[in-house]
Structure formats: C-alpha cells, structure tokens
Amino acid sequence: MNDRLANQTNFLRHQPCGLYVHIPFCDSKCGYCDFYSVALKDRATKPLVEAVVNELDVRTASLEHAITTVFVGGGTPTTLPSDELRLILQAVSKSVGQAQLDEFTVEANPATVEHDKALLLQQCCVSRVSMGAQSFFPEELATLERLHTPEDIAPSVDTLRRAGIDQINLDLIFGIPGQTMKTWSQSLHRAIDLTPDHIACYGLTYEPQTRLTAMREANRITPCDEGLEADMYLLAIDELCAAGYRQYETSNFTRPGCESQHNLIYWRNQPFIGVGPSAAGCTGNRRYKNVPDLNAYVNMMLAQHHAEVEVETLDNDALMLESILMQLRLIEGLSIEAFQHRFDLDPREHFSSVLPHLVSLGNLIVTASHIALTPQGRLVADAVIRELAFSCIPVDTPLKVLNH
C-alpha cells in the first residue's frame, strides 16, 4: 500500500494543477444553489479580498505542482467593486505566473457584465468567461430566482467579445418546473445563435436545504417528469452536435479547441487547490476544505494563515474510486494508461468481474486506450459507475468529491 501511495505522489507531481478561487458574494442567492454564497448588500468586501490574497500566497509558496489553469467562481466574482476584483486577479497572476497558464476563467452573471468590468477582465489576462444564462424564458428564470432577464444575455456576450475576451461559455439548465421541449429547444437555439465557444447543459438538481427543494416538498412546484428530462438531454446532444459543437463530457459541449481546461483537471482527477471560504483542494492523497463561513474564514486567515476545517488522507481505494467517478464523465472515458501509471493496475483486469456484463448490456465500450460509457450508458451513468466501482472496492470506502 505504501508503495502504491508513493507511486501516486510521483505520478501526480508531474500532472498539471488547477487553482480555484471562491468569491462568495452574489446580488442574491438563487433558490436552487447549494454553493456557499452570501448576498452582497452593504457588506464590506475588502476583508475577504485581503484574506484570499493571503491564502493565495500561502498555498502557492509551498506547492510542488505547476498551476496551469485558474477558475475564479462563486458566488459571482464580478459583483466585486472593480478595484477589489483587479486586486484578486492581479494577485492570482503574480502567485501562479501568468506565462504558464493555459486558461484563466472568471464566472459572471449576465446582469453584472458591463463594459468597464469586461475591459478589466481582459487587462488582467482573463482568457475565458463563464456566464450562467440558464434559460431564455423569463418564467423559467423566475422559477430559478435568477436576477437577469433573457434580454441581458446577448448584450453581455457582445460586451465581452468587444473587450477582447478569447472564449465564452454559456450555462443552460433543463428540467426546470414548467419547462417544455419547445422552450428548451428555443433556449438551445438562442444560445447557439450567440456562437459561444462552449455550452454546458445541466439537469436541474434539488439539493438539500435549498429554497427550491423546500418548495418541492411543500408541493409549491412540480418537478419535471424524468422521461421528459431525459428527452431534453438527448435533444441537447442532437441540437448542439448538429450546430458544430462536440460533446466531450456528460454535460459539456465545445467548439474545436475550446474545452474547459480547468474542468478537465477535475474530470481527470488531477491535482487542484482551492482558495476562499468553502473552497476545497486535493494534492497527492491529501484533501482539505475551508470553512464555509465568510467571517470565520477572514478571522482564521488572520489568526493562523489557513482556514481548513476538513482534512483527510485518502487511501488507494478512495483515490481509485474517484478516478472512476470523474473520468467516466468524459466522453473519452477512463484512460487505461493513466490508470496503470497511477495505480499500477490494468483496469481491464481489475474490473474483469463486471466489465463483460456492462459491455454486453451496451452501457460500456472498451478500447485499447479507454473504458467509456456508451450513449445509452450515459443515460444510466450513476448505476453503471456504481456497479463498476464497487465491484472491486469496499462499499464503505469514504468518498467526498469536493469542488467549490
């Protein structure tokens, strides 16, 4: 076991590393969102900005990996005052070395994209902006408690392009209560008409302790039928691929060469660090999560220069399980070569008790280089991955995939 963990460390040391920076401020919190965020209102933002800059310095000073991607998310980072947003972005560039970055992404809400702020992003070398469009219908945006309107989306895309932002992603959500195949198709086409470089389509999820889940439990909204939701997903694949986008992950579609390099680090289960309240990181076999509280985060950074409240050392089984869970989200699937290098095991042999069965069902395909879900298998991905993962891994293996 110790030899395997040593192999892990050696393998991961040569992998690219991602940096996630969490800015928790929003104009208001959407009813479906379970990420840690707080309404900006009249809050002082400078203490948070200073604490994040402090943590950036601490994290990057001792990091053995080369950071190749940055994602500044939230919350809505572009709600920050321009001077403080500039301070964060410049601190990132200084800490990681701008020249080595393959991608520098900032999240934005269409209602917060204005010319001066878009120009600031470009001046600070941000190469990609990810915007939560979600829907092009006001009733659906109201159900999600989004503040922007459909009319905000196209001007925001235009503003970013005129400022010189290289790549733009639009997020869309399907399975919204009241949504129909017609409105979903129209949202897809209106997004395609804006020619973004990347489109992400996510099925609406009802997360614990969110207002949307409380509304469902109180019968104030009716969830979308599962069959209709599956049809919406299949329609997205058909429409986006017909428009020239390539599906490269369960929910993500790209123009040639515009894959999200940062998210690929997550999906390939490569090292990443997180900075900010509630942010998480995993390097080698050590995983941590920061305190999900704004004031506690600021105070902990002042007192002890870290804000970690969860730390665990992952054993080989947990790391193997996460590789399966994450890499099978990719259309290319699980890399046999990477799995062999990392775990000193051939996954075709390691999962031989269940692989032929899953292949015979038409849910998996095995090639010389990858094990991947088929289109049919992606519709039942959770069940397929569970059967594959737990065929050789103890069912009580702890698992906490921590993003932001």
Side-chain angles (χ1 to χ4, degrees):
M1 185 66 71
N2 289 336
D3 288 342
R4 284 184 174 177
L5 287 177
N7 288 341
Q8 289 263 356
T9 302
N10 185 57
F11 174 78
L12 290 173
R13 188 172 288 125
H14 297 90
Q15 297 296 298
C17 181
L19 165 64
Y20 175 75
V21 181
H22 189 74
I23 306 299
F25 300 117
C26 284
D27 287 322
S28 69
K29 190 175 180 73
C30 300
Y32 63 92
C33 178
D34 73 330
F35 294 141
Y36 174 68
S37 61
V38 294
L40 182 59
K41 296 182 180 177
D42 297 321
R43 293 176 186 270
T45 56
K46 192 170 183 180
L48 180 279
V49 170
E50 291 175 343
V52 165
V53 172
N54 182 7
E55 189 182 7
L56 268 171
D57 291 341
V58 172
R59 293 277 180 207
T60 56
S62 59
L63 188 67
E64 295 182 341
H65 308 278
I67 292 174
T68 58
T69 68
V70 173
F71 195 108
V72 182
T76 308
T78 47
T79 59
L80 282 174
S82 293
D83 287 348
E84 292 175 11
L85 179 59
R86 183 188 299 275
L87 184 61
I88 290 278
L89 299 178
Q90 289 179 338
V92 167
S93 295
K94 179 182 176 183
S95 295
V96 305
Q98 183 64 43
Q100 70 187 24
L101 284 182
D102 296 328
E103 182 182 272
F104 191 165
T105 301
V106 172
E107 272 187 329
N109 182 303
T112 65
V113 177
E114 53 194 36
H115 174 72
D116 289 348
K117 207 154 273 187
L119 203 58
L120 167 62
L121 297 178
Q122 191 275 334
Q123 291 169 349
C124 291
C125 301
V126 171
S127 60
R128 185 175 182 272
V129 170
S130 181
M131 282 204 303
Q134 316 308 12
S135 170
F136 285 81
F137 286 86
E139 300 85 357
E140 294 170 7
L141 291 174
T143 298
L144 298 174
E145 299 183 4
R146 301 289 292 181
L147 290 183
H148 72 275
T149 69
E151 290 71 31
D152 291 327
I153 300 169
S156 295
V157 171
D158 183 60
T159 295
L160 290 169
R161 286 209 174 101
R162 284 188 288 108
I165 299 299
D166 293 337
Q167 292 187 24
I168 296 172
N169 166 69
L170 293 181
D171 285 348
L172 297 175
I173 292 179
F174 61 91
I176 303 167
Q179 192 176 41
T180 66
M181 286 292 284
K182 182 178 180 179
T183 61
W184 173 235
S185 177
Q186 290 178 355
S187 280
L188 284 168
H189 281 279
R190 290 181 69 177
I192 290 167
D193 288 345
L194 297 175
T195 63
D197 308 276
H198 189 282
I199 297 177
C201 298
Y202 298 107
L204 179 64
T205 56
Y206 292 83
E207 302 291 352
Q209 300 180 335
T210 61
R211 286 193 301 275
L212 191 71
T213 297
M215 292 172 67
R216 183 192 63 178
E217 292 172 349
N219 295 318
R220 293 171 56 195
I221 56 171
T222 301
C224 185
D225 177 78
E226 288 184 3
L228 176 59
E229 192 169 340
D231 288 342
M232 288 178 174
Y233 177 62
L234 294 174
L235 179 67
I237 295 172
D238 290 343
E239 297 286 2
L240 291 169
C241 290
Y245 292 86
R246 180 179 70 86
Q247 185 183 20
Y248 71 106
E249 189 269 346
T250 301
S251 303
N252 285 262
F253 302 80
T254 182
R255 297 283 191 192
C258 297
E259 295 84 354
S260 170
Q261 298 302 313
H262 184 80
N263 284 339
L264 280 170
I265 282 178
Y266 292 143
W267 296 322
R268 289 171 176 160
N269 209 24
Q270 293 169 327
F272 63 95
I273 61 172
V275 170
S278 84
C282 188
T283 56
N285 64 335
R286 182 184 188 273
R287 180 162 54 207
Y288 68 87
K289 184 171 183 178
N290 285 342
V291 61
D293 180 273
L294 178 63
N295 292 330
Y297 172 79
V298 171
N299 291 334
M300 289 175 72
M301 287 305 305
L302 285 171
Q304 59 194 34
H305 301 293
H306 80 80
E308 296 175 358
V309 290
E310 294 181 31
V311 179
E312 63 181 320
T313 300
L314 303 175
D315 64 19
N316 205 59
D317 285 337
L319 289 163
M320 194 182 302
L321 177 56
E322 292 194 357
S323 287
I324 297 166
L325 286 169
M326 300 307 288
Q327 288 194 47
L328 282 182
R329 291 187 59 90
L330 292 166
I331 302 305
E332 70 183 27
L334 177 75
S335 167
I336 292 171
E337 181 180 11
F339 195 92
Q340 287 176 314
H341 279 302
R342 185 166 186 176
F343 300 108
D344 198 24
L345 293 168
D346 186 326
R348 294 164 296 189
E349 297 175 2
H350 195 62
F351 303 112
S352 60
S353 64
V354 70
L355 266 182
H357 171 64
L358 293 172
V359 170
S360 69
L361 290 176
N363 291 331
L364 281 179
I365 184 170
V366 181
T367 68
S369 61
H370 288 83
I371 298 171
L373 289 165
T374 63
Q376 171 185 308
R378 287 194 284 277
L379 293 175
V380 289
D382 288 348
V384 175
I385 291 171
R386 188 180 305 113
E387 186 172 354
L388 180 66
F390 290 119
S391 64
C392 294
I393 296 172
V395 295
D396 60 348
T397 299
L399 176 66
K400 297 177 184 176
V401 178
L402 301 175
N403 292 324
H404 56 287

